[in-house]
Amino acid sequence: MPSQHKSQRYVVVGAGPVGSLAALYAAKRGFQVEIYELRADLRDPSTTPLNFTKSINLALSERGITAIKHANEPALLKSVMDSTIPMRGRMIHGRNAATGELYEAAQDYDVHGRAINAADRGGLNKQLLDCLADMPNVRFFFHHKLTGADFRRQKAWFEDRSSSTPKETEISFDFMIGADGAHSAARYHMMKYTQMDYQQEYIGTLWCEFQIMPRPGKTATDNSPDSMFKISPNHLHIWPGKRFMFIAIPSEDGTFTCTLFMPDEGYAKLDADPSQVPAFFDEYFPGVTDLIPPTELVASFKQNPHLPLISIKCTPYHFGSSGVIIGDAAHAMVPFYGQGMNAGLEDVRILFETLDKHSVTPSSTPQSRAAALAEYTATRTPDAHAINDLALANYVEMRASVLSRTYQLRKSLEEFLSVHVPQLGWHTKYSRVSFSNERYSHVIARSEYQGRMLSRMFVAVLLPAVAGVAWLVARYAGAARRGGGGGGVFQPVLDLVSRGLARVGLRR
Ligand code: FAD
């Protein structure tokens, strides 16, 4: 029997960002922590990150930061934040249909000026591993692949690949935390012990990485012509292509990691003739070929993998007192809300808060952990499912809605109310997701409520007003055409209203 006392063995499977943070939370609470990781130690310079050409840049926002903060390692938090770049909004790139000129249009994420942060995923992971390496109750097992787990007998099997002849090792554990990503072996084995509902969807879109290199010989880090950054470093750049999307996120070294999201059939077409890639970019993502030379575009398209996007929902996340799955293992999502890792880090905070609430310590009984895990599954499932849905919906927003007037009008109204009538507690959906720790399921409920209220306000107040103004405009415009003197003293006001209506798309 695994022990229930001081030496309680917490086994973490997967040393990605989520598993590493979970190991840190467990170690800080005095458990004996063992981390088993399929790959080599990321901190080893010869290691190439799985699936990624370099290391993907991602957006670290409030939930991830809060989770790292709650690890109570101020030096870790500082080093993580020091190596991020704040992105205060989206920069939409396009070409003016009338003049043919390229344009950039900034859209701040938050009316209160808050920003999300561009972070190097590998760098963040390394900082977490460094922090763990200093802890006496943490042991690493790299090159170890989970191949089997018996959650009843609390035993697990790993293939030890650290030598040229892989061998199987058996271990026992008190508690296993499965943080082994979207294709989780921990989840697969847990399913044999619990009646897990499971749903996965490939969304038919692939992603491929590209790079915008820094301006040679430049060192400034602002948005000036002397900057090493070719485009603003403080924005997440989007080239919305309706059915496709190209985005760029800054890195500290002046490069931008870019991602092309496109349906499978689009990739198939370009795969057949990659020399068409620059022309494709010129058509759908104007200006990119000025930032990435066509030869580099073609080379990246050919060399870098074209990877699928998967969305996974399941529940429960635990079995008895012996195991739990977190992060992508529990809820892999499409990356369009920039929340996959943030939600996974938040899992860690919520899981350990729940364990603390049930007084789970190195000397407590398994019963208290079982009660905590049941509560964790019950509270976390609606939230994880909610962010999966939000992430899917945000794909449409990023590649198309950002250009829509209705979307911009709603954003402006909600921001206006957030600033001028704060007692209403109105915020945009984006700011609730990215700048708060509000439960994801509440975010959806609040956003739907605000949407309903706005529609009612529109019908009750704006619609009659707009109809009245439209009637006046029509009447006076008709009079003017008949030579009747137009709107007289009201004419400037009517012109203004008319232009306003045209701007929000209610009149052409
Ligand atoms: P992973 O990072 O997948 O780590 C799992 C670890 O488990 C790996 O180290 C793996 O080697 C190991 N492992 C796997 N199988 C086994 C096994 N059998 N035995 C032992 N070890 C094993 N998230 C954001 O928050 N913001 C963003 O802006 C963002 N952008 C993204 C952009 C793209 C293009 C993609 C694809 C994802 C993005 N994400 C983003 C999501 C984010 O990358 C993931 O949610 C996050 O990496 C999940 O962390 P994890 O630790 O749960 O899993």
Side-chain angles (χ1 to χ4, degrees):
M1 258 314 262
S3 79
Q4 292 167 14
H5 299 292
K6 249 201 152 87
S7 59
Q8 272 203 32
R9 199 173 187 186
Y10 273 33
V11 163
V12 177
V13 185
V18 176
S20 304
L21 187 70
L24 182 57
Y25 269 61
K28 297 276 285 188
R29 283 161 175 77
F31 296 99
Q32 293 300 321
V33 179
E34 293 177 4
I35 309 172
Y36 291 83
E37 165 57 48
L38 166 71
R39 295 179 283 162
D41 188 343
L42 258 186
R43 293 165 301 164
D44 173 350
S46 61
T47 305
T48 309
L50 184 78
N51 267 352
F52 308 122
T53 47
K54 188 180 158 246
S55 168
I56 61 167
N57 273 14
L58 38 70
L60 174 67
S61 53
E62 185 61 25
R63 292 164 200 271
I65 297 169
T66 304
I68 297 171
K69 211 180 267 171
H70 282 227
N72 292 322
E73 285 286 338
L76 168 70
L77 181 67
K78 184 173 179 329
S79 76
V80 167
M81 293 315 292
D82 284 352
S83 38
T84 62
I85 302 177
M87 298 184 289
R88 64 169 182 272
R90 300 171 174 139
M91 186 69 84
I92 311 297
H93 294 256
R95 189 185 292 285
N96 184 306
T99 64
E101 280 176 20
L102 295 176
Y103 71 81
E104 288 185 335
Q107 286 181 4
D108 279 356
Y109 281 130
D110 182 49
V111 70
H112 303 286
R114 290 170 294 185
I116 57 173
N117 305 280
D120 174 86
R121 182 190 173 285
L124 171 61
N125 209 158
K126 282 181 201 160
Q127 286 161 329
L128 286 162
L129 294 175
D130 278 340
C131 188
L132 284 166
D134 292 337
M135 309 199 66
N137 52 339
V138 174
R139 291 174 70 200
F140 290 109
F141 296 86
F142 291 105
H143 298 290
H144 277 69
K145 180 184 179 185
L146 178 75
T147 53
D150 182 333
F151 285 95
R152 246 183 225 113
R153 290 192 300 136
Q154 286 152 273
K155 291 206 175 298
W157 293 269
F158 290 89
E159 186 178 271
D160 174 356
R161 300 170 163 189
S162 53
S163 64
S164 52
T165 43
K167 52 182 188 292
E168 191 178 75
T169 55
E170 179 184 297
I171 62 152
S172 21
F173 59 88
D174 291 286
F175 184 39
M176 177 184 283
I177 301 178
D180 48 347
H183 303 286
S184 168
R187 182 185 66 224
Y188 173 77
H189 294 294
M190 189 178 281
M191 279 177 177
K192 299 176 201 159
Y193 295 87
T194 183
Q195 295 174 18
M196 188 184 284
D197 288 329
Y198 177 80
Q199 188 188 327
Q200 76 171 45
E201 186 189 348
Y202 282 99
I203 65 162
T205 288
L206 303 177
W207 62 281
C208 174
E209 251 182 45
F210 297 81
Q211 289 245 301
I212 297 174
M213 298 312 280
R215 278 200 189 102
K218 305 286 182 188
T219 50
T221 55
D222 55 9
N223 195 16
S224 70
D226 271 333
S227 173
M228 58 180 178
F229 293 101
K230 284 185 182 161
I231 45 180
S232 162
N234 298 114
H235 288 91
L236 190 154
H237 296 265
I238 305 181
W239 282 260
K242 298 254 163 72
R243 293 184 61 240
F244 330 113
M245 177 170 74
F246 189 68
I247 66 167
I249 299 183
S251 301
E252 272 189 305
D253 61 1
T255 59
F256 284 82
T257 304
C258 309
T259 314
L260 168 65
F261 295 100
M262 184 166 67
D264 308 3
E265 58 273 16
Y267 274 97
K269 249 191 214 155
L270 291 177
D271 272 334
D273 183 4
S275 69
Q276 291 305 309
V277 170
F280 168 80
F281 269 73
D282 282 338
E283 184 172 353
Y284 293 102
F285 312 126
V288 171
T289 48
D290 297 337
L291 301 168
I292 309 176
T295 47
E296 282 176 32
L297 270 181
V298 175
S300 298
F301 184 85
K302 281 168 50 180
Q303 277 155 27
N304 296 343
H306 303 166
L307 297 166
L309 291 171
I310 193 168
S311 178
I312 293 174
K313 285 182 183 171
C314 65
T315 195
Y317 300 130
H318 74 287
F319 174 74
S321 66
S322 64
V324 71
I325 49 170
I326 55 174
D328 276 15
H331 47 65
M333 66 193 72
V334 295
F336 305 116
Y337 231 117
Q339 283 294 308
M341 185 189 68
N342 286 289
L345 299 178
E346 186 177 62
D347 287 349
V348 176
R349 175 177 69 79
I350 290 173
L351 172 65
F352 279 86
E353 278 175 5
T354 315
L355 291 168
D356 292 345
K357 184 176 147 198
H358 288 262
S359 309
V360 175
T361 64
S363 54
S364 62
T365 61
Q367 284 74 19
S368 52
R369 195 167 51 236
L373 295 180
E375 182 176 327
Y376 173 76
T377 283
T379 49
R380 200 59 183 152
T381 301
D383 292 328
H385 289 190
I387 187 58
N388 273 60
D389 293 342
L390 285 169
L392 278 169
N394 215 43
Y395 188 25
V396 181
E397 179 164 326
M398 282 178 88
R399 66 194 157 97
S401 307
V402 286
L403 301 171
S404 119
R405 287 170 178 159
T406 322
Y407 165 84
Q408 287 168 19
L409 179 65
R410 176 171 175 175
K411 183 173 182 286
S412 307
L413 278 172
E414 286 178 326
E415 286 181 345
F416 178 85
L417 292 170
S418 168
V419 172
H420 298 286
V421 201
Q423 56 276 27
L424 276 182
W426 276 43
H427 303 285
T428 60
K429 187 163 62 184
Y430 188 89
S431 74
R432 288 181 192 280
V433 168
S434 302
F435 303 121
S436 86
N437 295 296
E438 192 176 340
R439 292 184 59 176
Y440 289 121
S441 53
H442 290 181
V443 173
I444 292 193
R446 281 294 301 178
S447 173
E448 284 173 354
Y449 167 79
Q450 289 180 198
R452 278 197 307 276
M453 288 297 121
L454 281 175
S455 308
R456 280 183 206 162
M457 270 159 60
F458 185 74
V459 172
V461 182
L462 285 178
L463 213 54
V466 166
V469 169
W471 179 79
L472 279 172
V473 169
R475 190 172 161 200
Y476 283 102
R481 268 199 306 278
R482 290 192 303 273
V489 290
F490 293 116
Q491 195 57 56
V493 180
L494 291 171
D495 287 347
L496 197 69
V497 171
S498 174
R499 278 203 302 275
L501 289 174
R503 268 193 85 167
V504 298
L506 294 172
R507 185 178 167 277
R508 299 235 162 235

